[in-house]
Amino acid sequence: MDRLQQDNLFPHRHLLGIADLSASEIGFLLDVSDSYIDVNRGPNKKQTKLRGQTVINLFFENSTRTRTSFELAGKRLSADVINMSVATSSIKKGETMVDTSMTLNAMHPDVLVVRHPDSGAVKLLSEKINGAVINAGDGSHEHPTQALLDALTVRRRRGRIQGLIVAICGDVLHSRVARSNIHLLNKMGAQVRLVAPPTLLPTNVERLGVEVFHDMRTGLMDCDIVMMLRLQTERMRGTFVPSTREYFHFFGLDSDKLAVAKPDALVMHPGPMNRGVEIDSVLADDITHSAILDQVEFGVAVRMACLDVLTNNLRADATGMVS
Amino acid sequence: MNSVRPSAQGQRIALLNARLLDPSSKLDQPGALLIENRQIADFGPGLFNEGTAEDVMVVDCAGHCLIPGLVDIRAHLREPGAEHKENLSTASKAAAAGGITSVVCMPNTDPVIDQIALIEFIARRARETSAVKVYPAAAITKNLHGKELTEIGLLLEAGAVAFSDADRAVADSLVMRRALAYAHTFDALIMQHPEDPTLSTGVMNDGEMATRLGLMGIPNIAETIIVERDIRLMELTGARYHVSHLSTKETVDVVRSAKARGLPITAAVAAHHFALNENAVADYRTFAKVSPPLRAEPDRVAMVSGLADDAIDVIVSDHAPHDQDSKRVPFAQAANGIVGLETMFPLALEIYHNGEIGLLELLAKMTVNPAKLVGLDAGEIKIGAAADLVMFDLNAPWQIKIDKLRSKSRNAPYDGRPVQGRVLKTWINGRIAFDIDIED
């Protein structure tokens, strides 16, 4: 692809959030991701696009699947990938996050993939970095690659995003996945609903362009897509729901509640699932509805696409083609 | 240091050609003022019509405003314990440059100002290092823990001018009841930080902005609920009570209606709460993180109208210096606070220039009102009063530059903000404490 043309299609140095992107930029990332799905399914998964480049996965918060997905994406593009779990190293020695990022920046990484438990932390860090920064989740703010892989899953399974009714259910309050998805789905023309008890919804969330429901059976009515969220007990201070048993009874997804949605409704979950808390175990494994393994598969493709596009921009930047 | 010789005992200084403004006597007329023995010896329109004597030093005010030095009853001066953020000397330079001649410092130091020795320490350090007058507020509860009362009577005798748990509310209703009842015996002033701690676990104003940023919000009711409860406790105990700084429209309404019922309630607002709204924290700007948080635009507007109709009595700086390391961190981890000693006055003048309030009415909120509230003989132009005076150009336009601030810390979200009205000279006890011709 011609670089200058690509620069025009995605003129960003970092990927910090979906809120900063336009529909066409999102569409472009999804198109590039699509091409990587074929690569990942083929016999030779190794591409050479990032040969000689360094990707650092900098995780200030524990993660297995996202980190692995980014690691695999980098390696399949031939980058040198280094994983750093900072939660267990220098921060405990008193080094600040800004110091850590400046130290890493001095080693000239091309891409930093960063996860942090605080909202806004990845943006703060990006201000000290010369390379590209990908937000792999910051607090309750954004998780852009998750929203992109969700969108890719929907687009491949339904052929479109425009006009679909999507219900995002559960712990919206603590969820960066929900926020990124709300932004993305709205930009791509879907109709977004939120279904959750009031204690798990952020204030004035309807101003983000969503319809709010407190009852699963009305919220899921005629839905095309049901996105379940993990109950994030680790972020909770105090009681938001009385018990997981009560939560599952009213807000957990089972086949009864799903019956009011469209017959071919797709069930998604960003993982890791709490089986029997937000989703019924049998339903999670039901391949006619569940797109959960597609999400995992497409996640690698989306992350390859993001690494590809952002490093392309960096190279163009170095040759003076992007200001 | 100064080219102007400090006024020694007995030296006389004539301030000529001034616009004399005194909120307590509603004075606003051209005239002159004589400083003698570090006090205001005389003032008025006819003074020096016949010329001045040889031995009198003459300062031409060139028609600029001459007002009583400002009184700021809420500032965090960080000494003792956090001198890397601020000390009494650096704070006093900032205060004098901001037209403030008397400062009440908050007790959230290390150690906490909750015993007589600390009151005496502040008094001594202020005497030795501070250009402006510093008066300590003592803690309401020991170590600010909200459980056991401090020695309110003894602290008052030692020189505490008011009682406050600084940036923490006295949340326990029983403790607050006893604090008010006991303080009432001595007519001591209880100043409450109005924020229910269980409802204010967030880090910014609750609402759409917090939702978009993925930050936990602090709802308006966290403030209102405490003030409403405290009003009931005032009625029970008969004590007077001061809201140390309010931020929400609802709280202004509650204070206004309590005043209408005749209760001895007073309230202050920090300059940032009428100068800024929550948009200032967009992009996670930690310099705009403050407690209580910057609120929505209707709340900001309510601060201005509360000042205009006297629901709010006092303007404070809520000066809260923090070093880079306390602010250059993710938003949720960042310390609360904005430096304000130098910016309170120009920000307050915006309200006057916008036509929301009269000049004397505005000045009263930074002079006589706060002075009376904490029992200081300050904030007035009267014969025999200490010559704490400020000369300022009401209309001079300028831009706030945070790298020019005199405070040891520069955590202010006002960089580049255009303002109108500038302090030219500040006198404390008849001595020049700030002179723009020398310092800028």
Side-chain angles (χ1 to χ4, degrees), chain B residues 260-272:
Chain B
R261 300 208 315 270
L263 292 172
I265 186 171
T266 52
V269 62
H272 41 258

Side-chain angles (χ1 to χ4, degrees), chain A residues 78-129:
Chain A
S78 302
D80 297 315
V81 182
I82 292 154
N83 291 319
M84 280 191 65
S85 292
V86 190
T88 54
S89 63
S90 47
I91 290 291
K92 282 204 178 139
K93 293 177 197 153
E95 189 176 63
T96 67
M97 187 200 77
V98 172
D99 286 339
T100 303
S101 55
M102 282 161 70
T103 303
L104 291 176
N105 188 51
M107 301 178 194
H108 302 294
D110 298 281
V111 184
L112 267 170
V113 177
V114 187
R115 169 169 288 190
H116 198 284
D118 284 319
S119 301
V122 179
K123 182 190 178 293
L124 176 67
L125 186 145
S126 73
E127 291 163 5
K128 307 289 172 193
I129 299 294

Side-chain angles (χ1 to χ4, degrees), chain B residues 91-163:
Chain B
S92 81
K93 289 192 178 89
I100 295 165
T101 57
S102 296
V103 180
V104 174
C105 62
M106 288 293 111
N108 54 336
T109 47
D110 183 15
V112 169
I113 304 174
D114 60 0
Q115 45 192 307
I116 293 165
L118 268 298
I119 299 285
E120 288 168 349
F121 172 82
I122 295 291
R124 180 170 60 77
R125 289 291 294 162
R127 212 164 44 235
E128 290 168 358
T129 67
S130 171
V132 304
K133 297 171 181 177
V134 177
Y135 302 93
I140 300 169
T141 65
K142 285 178 187 158
N143 223 9
L144 310 175
H145 283 167
K147 296 197 174 82
E148 294 172 72
L149 296 186
T150 55
E151 295 167 316
I152 288 174
L154 291 174
L155 287 162
L156 200 62
E157 280 187 354
V161 295
F163 294 82

